[in-house]
Amino acid sequence: MWAWVNGEFVRRDQPGIRLEDRGLTFADGLFEVLRTVGGKVLFWDEHLARIRRSARFLGIAFPFTDQKLAAEALELIRRNDVTDGELYLELTRGADPYRQHKYPPSGTEPTLFMLSFPLRTIDAVNWERGATLLTYPDLRHRLCEHKTINLLANVLAKNYAYERGGYEALMCREDARGSYITEGGSSNYFCCRGGRLLTPEIDNIMPGITRAGVIDHARRAGIEVVERRLYLNEFLGADEAFLTSTVSKVMPIRAVDYTTFPAPGPVTRRLMDAFEELIHQELAR
Ligand code: PMP
């Protein structure tokens, strides 16, 4: 398998990344996971805009143009002979030989690399009959609107769910009114109550590309979408619920802990179909 590192195609077992890279020592970096279908990449512009925005926020230079990087991504996918798959892109603040917290001197090259994988296997039963979630405390920092490579709390949350037979964690924070939901280890959440879609507002959670596509489609289709703080008891009392992510697309939710939902519910079904149509349009562009 090939990887791409700072402009070079390299064998994946000879990565050419320094051990002092701040990505390794400080998790000082960002990433994106993009879906590839038939050798093409979905929603490239949206993913690149998100990582560029966060790179600007963190003061990390983004060393390639989108066009150049897109061409390299397609070549990487071709070399690895991946048709349906995932493209992983990571940007770090680069190597720092002394492992000091202080930002490295200007002129230090950031590290940008890409990996392409065949699509992970997900049991189709999750789309057909719905995924199960387990609630878990949101143990993360205040940078969750940026896709940082600091994912330890997400890893803990997802593995808590896996070990109990679940598909994802439903992470929750607390305020004076009680427990409110944030997101999953790698998914955004929606529920439907009385025909309206409710989803947590972007308040220290990931602005998901799939989430944005679903909201945009729902609004154009005349479905009211409300983005606000969403309490766990409201979510559990919903008519139906679903999750969104690049890899899971739109996936119905069958259960959260011991609460069950009809899955897929009618609104979820509609949005699952609409999202497939959006992918078709994207591939035809
Ligand atoms: N939340 C988190 C924490 C994530 O890591 C992801 C995956 N990027 C998402 C939500 C879903 O975002 P997207 O639709 O862009 O994949």
Side-chain angles (χ1 to χ4, degrees):
M1 289 292 254
W2 293 90
W4 180 94
V5 185
N6 284 343
E8 307 281 341
F9 288 96
V10 296
R11 289 286 177 187
R12 201 137 102 196
D13 52 2
Q14 297 169 347
I17 288 193
R18 303 258 308 258
L19 292 176
E20 308 97 317
D21 195 286
R22 293 178 68 100
L24 286 172
T25 54
F26 292 116
D28 187 355
L30 297 163
F31 75 108
E32 285 292 330
V33 176
L34 300 91
R35 182 81 160 78
T36 67
V37 179
K40 291 186 174 179
V41 182
L42 297 181
F43 309 117
W44 174 262
D45 294 346
E46 289 83 349
H47 285 276
L48 265 284
R50 181 167 67 185
I51 196 167
R52 280 183 179 282
R53 207 180 319 119
S54 292
R56 256 195 314 278
F57 175 81
L58 296 177
I60 303 178
F62 196 92
F64 288 86
T65 64
D66 285 9
Q67 289 84 341
K68 167 78 176 157
L69 201 58
E72 302 282 70
L74 291 178
E75 172 60 13
L76 179 66
I77 293 163
R78 193 195 62 75
R79 283 193 188 210
N80 286 327
D81 201 17
V82 171
T83 43
D84 275 8
E86 298 168 36
L87 178 73
Y88 178 81
L89 195 150
E90 181 172 323
L91 172 72
T92 81
R93 207 181 294 274
D96 176 352
Y98 302 107
R99 200 210 155 264
Q100 289 176 2
H101 293 71
K102 188 173 176 19
Y103 293 144
S106 64
T108 302
E109 290 281 303
T111 303
L112 180 63
F113 69 91
M114 295 189 285
L115 303 171
S116 80
F117 305 100
L119 191 63
R120 69 193 75 180
T121 31
I122 298 177
D123 193 338
V125 81
N126 289 295
W127 284 287
E128 290 157 9
R129 299 222 314 271
T132 55
L133 312 182
L134 284 106
T135 53
Y136 192 81
D138 192 334
L139 301 173
R140 297 173 305 164
H141 44 72
R142 298 289 309 187
L143 291 170
C144 302
E145 285 169 36
H146 302 283
K147 212 164 163 55
T148 78
I149 55 176
N150 182 344
L151 291 174
L152 186 54
N154 306 53
V155 167
L156 294 178
K158 284 181 88 88
N159 281 281
Y160 174 86
Y162 296 154
E163 282 161 7
R164 287 155 184 81
Y167 182 80
E168 246 291 22
L170 175 60
M171 295 197 283
C172 298
R173 299 187 187 126
E174 304 287 327
D175 70 8
R177 253 186 75 181
S179 203
Y180 63 94
I181 71 163
T182 56
E183 59 187 332
S186 59
S187 320
N188 291 113
Y189 293 123
F190 288 78
C191 69
C192 188
R193 288 176 68 106
R196 286 198 316 171
L197 276 188
L198 302 174
T199 192
E201 65 195 320
I202 302 299
D203 171 19
N204 199 25
I205 64 165
M206 179 66 51
I209 308 295
T210 321
R211 173 188 184 277
V214 165
I215 291 177
D216 184 53
H217 171 83
R219 288 198 171 130
R220 279 188 286 108
I223 301 173
E224 189 186 345
V225 184
V226 182
E227 296 173 72
R228 64 158 168 83
R229 186 161 291 190
L230 189 52
Y231 288 88
L232 179 61
N233 59 6
E234 298 177 285
F235 194 80
L236 297 180
D239 305 325
E240 53 183 290
F242 61 88
L243 62 86
T244 62
S245 85
T246 294
V247 174
S248 304
K249 303 190 279 187
V250 177
M251 182 181 279
I253 294 170
R254 172 158 54 110
V256 176
D257 298 335
Y258 297 106
T259 304
T260 56
F261 301 88
V267 178
T268 305
R269 178 81 263 165
R270 237 177 106 186
L271 293 170
M272 288 168 78
D273 293 344
F275 194 72
E276 292 301 327
E277 181 51 37
L278 204 63
I279 291 176
H280 263 81
Q281 287 169 12
E282 176 75 5
L283 288 172
R285 279 207 308 154

